[in-house]
Amino acid sequence: MIVFLNGQFVSEAQATVSVFDRSFLYGDGLFETLRVTNGKPFRWEQHLDRLVRGAEFLGLKIPFDRPALARFAGELIAQNRLPEALLRLTLSRGVGPRGYSPRGADQPLLVMALHPFKMPTADPESSMGGVVAAGGLVRWRAHTAGCRLPAGEALAQFKTCNKLAQVLARAEAEAAGADEALLLNTAGFLVEGAGSNLFWIRDGVVSTPPLASGILAGVTRAVVRELCEARGVPFTEAQLKPAELPQMDGAFLSLSSLGLVELAEVDGTPINRAPILPQLHAAYQTLLERECGAR
């Protein structure tokens, strides 16, 4: 595998980072994960927008401009011959003096790496877990994690390199035999999955928690809103208690890798299946192919 490391394309074995790098020491950095299909990153500009906003919030410098990053990403995909992949960008503040202060850490590090990707099928040996329904819609079992996210946390809107709450939540979900973890915030509301945004459907209305509840401003979350608005499906931001989720007409998650994933059950309780969800899933797949069609 070829990796992009601060302006150079090197082998995976050569792609090393200092043990004094602040992202390694403190999680002082950001990352983005994008779906690549037909050799093209899906919603590249939106992911870069979030990276730029996060860098501004953290006071981080991005060592390359946007056109250069796009060229590097395209070359990385071509060199690895991976037209279907997940692309991860990691931005670190770099190496600096010991301690929390960012002073002196003025040489940021940017890494891009690819991971092969294949949509899950009905194959029970699929590494992505879950069940695949008709039309390719993945269905997951979820577990409500014990750790909570702080409500109103501004940092939550960016993909920082410190994701310990999500790591612990996913580990807890896996131990419970689930595919994904759902997290509550400190106000007691369901807010998001460990690696996904949460939606529910009731009376034809699609709802999702507001950003102020302490969630990631997901790129695919924005795509879902876009798809709803284009089809005249009412969309709103709201709060939801865990006990209310089984009363909804359906629920689903959004994430950059799989797009839309239906929630089949939460903590062993079945979740209703909303007829509108397969339509939204099909619309997402159509959008993906239209924007990342074959070259």
Side-chain angles (χ1 to χ4, degrees), residues 109-290:
L109 178 73
L110 192 137
V111 178
M112 285 192 275
L114 288 169
H115 304 274
F117 177 79
K118 184 179 180 180
M119 281 295 292
T121 65
D123 181 357
E125 300 300 321
S126 171
S127 62
M128 296 300 294
V131 175
V132 182
L137 180 60
V138 177
R139 306 185 73 227
W140 274 357
R141 301 177 301 275
H143 168 80
T144 304
C147 55
R148 297 201 175 191
L149 300 177
E153 174 56 70
L155 272 174
Q157 296 187 38
F158 311 110
K159 300 195 80 168
T160 68
C161 290
N162 190 328
K163 290 290 183 183
L164 278 177
Q166 289 77 8
V167 169
L168 293 175
R170 181 65 64 81
E172 186 180 334
E174 290 174 353
D179 303 295
E180 173 64 308
L182 295 183
L183 292 104
L184 282 68
N185 66 8
T186 48
F189 294 106
L190 282 168
V191 286
E192 62 183 357
S196 55
N197 283 114
L198 172 67
F199 301 81
W200 59 91
I201 304 167
R202 187 163 198 178
D203 298 329
V205 179
V206 175
S207 300
T208 192
L211 296 181
S213 62
I215 67 168
L216 177 71
V219 171
T220 312
R221 175 183 182 271
V223 172
V224 171
R225 183 171 203 153
E226 179 184 318
L227 292 173
C228 288
E229 292 174 350
R231 282 152 187 78
V233 176
F235 185 97
T236 187
E237 294 184 344
Q239 305 275 26
L240 190 74
K241 292 284 188 178
E244 298 174 302
L245 189 58
Q247 303 169 20
M248 299 298 107
D249 298 330
F252 64 100
L253 305 167
S254 72
L255 59 164
S256 291
S257 58
L258 297 176
L260 277 58
V261 172
E262 184 175 23
L263 276 178
E265 63 178 59
V266 176
D267 300 325
T269 300
I271 301 298
N272 294 319
R273 305 194 68 182
I276 192 176
L277 184 50
Q279 300 172 29
L280 288 175
H281 169 70
Y284 175 86
Q285 293 301 124
T286 299
L287 179 67
L288 181 67
E289 286 299 321
R290 184 171 72 239

